[in-house]
Amino acid sequence: MKVLRNLNILIRPVNDTCNLSCEYCITKNRYSGDALRRETLKPETFQKLIAGIKGSQLQTVRFTWHGGEPLLMPDSFYREIFTLQRGLGGIDQTTTLQTNGTLVNEERLRFFKEQGVCVGFSLDGCKYSHNAYRFSDPKQFETVIGNIRLAKKLGVRFSIIMVAHEKNVRDVKEICDFLDEMDPPNGFTINPLFLGQGEMARLSLPQEEFSKFLYALYENRKNTGSFPGGYIYAAQKGLSKAVPKLCFFSGRCANFVSMNGSGDMFSTCYENSAYYLGNINATPLPELLEKHLKQHETKIDPQFQNQTLYREMGSDPELVYFQGKGCTKRLVDGRDPYFRSYIDLIEHVKKDGKKTNP
Ligand code: SF4
C-alpha cells in the first residue's frame, strides 16, 4: 500500500474571508456552492491535525497558511498554533504564511521572524497599474511595497507570488528589475491568471501569451544567472535530473491537501467539494490520507487520461523527471490549458542549454 511521507497542507483559517476584494478572486464563486460549514479555525481543530500527523508515517510537513487573508486572525491565535506545531518533534516542518501584505506591520514581522515563519507576499508587479485587479486605491499598493521593504530590512524570510495577466504580462523587464531589488530570500513564483470557463474567463491569460512571458522571463534571468523559484527553476531542475519542485511539472499533486476553518479536508491544494475527504474532528488523519491517495488514483489522476509532460515530449530519457500532468485546479476537458506553455519553456531551456554548453 502506498504511504505518504511528505505532505503540503494548505490551511485556510478564515476560509475565503478577506479585507480586499480583488477583481480576479473567484474563491467566493468557487466555494459558495459548497454546503460545508464555514467556521473560523479553532486551535482545538488544529490540535487534531497535529495529533494525526504524529500518528502517521509522515516525515516532512509543509504548512501554508492561506486565505482569504490569514492575517485576519490575531497573533495570539498564531502563537497558540505555533506552540502546537512545536509538539511535532522529529518531523521536518516549515511554515509559510501567504498574505496580501496589507495587514502586516513591524511587530507582526518580528513575531514571524522569531517563529521561523516565511511570509509570502502576493503582489502582481512593481507599479500600481500592474495591480489594477488587486487594489482600488494606490495607498494599498504603497502599503504592501512598504511592508515588503520592511520585511527585507528586518531580515524576515519572504517570497513574492505574482499572477501574470493583461495588466503586467508585457512588462517582464520591470518585473525582473523589481525582483532583483527586493531579492526575496525564498524566491518568487508567477502563475498565469486562469478563471475557468465562466463569465470571468475573459480575464484569463491566453496560453500563447504565457509562453511568450515565460520565454522573456527566462531570457532576462539567464543574463543574471538568478532563477529563484517558479517555472524556470523547475524546468532547470528537471533537466538536471532532479525532481522539479513545481507539483504540476513533477506530478506531485497527491502531496497536497487543504483544510478549511471547520476542519474539512480536501485532496489537492484548494477547496473543492468534489474532492472532499472528511473532517479532522471526526476522522483521524491517517484514514483521511488513505482516502486521499485512493481518490487521486481513482478519481483525480484518471481525468488527465495518462497525459504527462514527459510523454508529450516524446518520452525522451533526458526529460524523465517531468512526470507532471498539469494542474488539477486548472483542468478543463482533461487538460491544463497551459500545458503547452510548460512544454514550450522546458524545450526552450533544453535547447538553450545545449547551445551554451554544447
Ligand atoms: S491543484 Fe495544481 S497547484 Fe494544487 S497541488 Fe495540484 S497540481 Fe499543484
Side-chain angles (χ1 to χ4, degrees), residues 247-248 253 256 268-270 326-329:
C247 38
F248 42 89
C253 187
F256 288 77
T268 80
C269 68
Y270 69 110
C327 175
T328 309
K329 194 163 38 182

Side-chain angles (χ1 to χ4, degrees), residues 54-122:
K54 279 189 194 158
S56 73
Q57 298 188 54
L58 290 168
Q59 292 167 349
T60 307
V61 180
R62 310 269 171 248
F63 294 99
T64 303
W65 295 82
H66 218 281
E69 173 49 49
L71 285 182
L72 286 169
M73 290 303 264
D75 292 354
S76 55
F77 165 80
Y78 287 108
R79 204 169 279 287
E80 218 172 316
I81 289 295
F82 299 150
T83 305
L84 291 170
Q85 270 181 237
R86 275 196 287 278
L88 281 177
I91 291 174
D92 175 17
Q93 54 169 310
T94 57
T95 301
T96 300
L97 203 138
Q98 188 59 39
T99 174
N100 62 35
T102 55
L103 302 175
V104 169
N105 57 33
E106 182 163 346
E107 195 188 332
R108 292 194 119 171
L109 286 171
R110 286 191 189 280
F111 168 59
F112 292 131
K113 183 180 175 187
E114 170 199 304
Q115 298 290 327
V117 171
C118 169
V119 179
F121 289 94
S122 297

Side-chain angles (χ1 to χ4, degrees), residues 10 246-249 251-257 267-270 296 300 304 326-330 336:
L10 269 95
L246 266 190
C247 38
F248 42 89
F249 272 46
R252 289 175 59 251
C253 187
N255 290 82
F256 288 77
V257 294
S267 286
T268 80
C269 68
Y270 69 110
H296 252 278
I300 299 177
F304 291 91
C327 175
T328 309
K329 194 163 38 182
R330 298 181 195 131
D336 171 342

Side-chain angles (χ1 to χ4, degrees), residues 1-4 7 9 45-46 48-53 55-56 58 254 256-260 262-268 275-297 300:
M1 193 180 65
K2 203 173 160 195
V3 171
L4 272 176
L7 188 66
I9 310 176
T45 301
F46 186 72
K48 291 264 169 43
L49 180 68
I50 294 292
I53 294 171
S56 73
L58 290 168
F256 288 77
V257 294
S258 58
M259 185 176 95
N260 68 14
S262 311
D264 294 319
M265 296 195 71
F266 303 82
S267 286
T268 80
Y275 303 147
Y276 179 62
L277 294 169
N279 188 289
I280 193 72
N281 290 302
T283 313
L285 185 71
E287 222 174 283
L288 294 173
L289 292 182
E290 208 177 301
K291 186 172 172 191
H292 162 68
L293 285 176
K294 199 175 281 168
Q295 172 153 269
H296 252 278
E297 208 181 301
I300 299 177

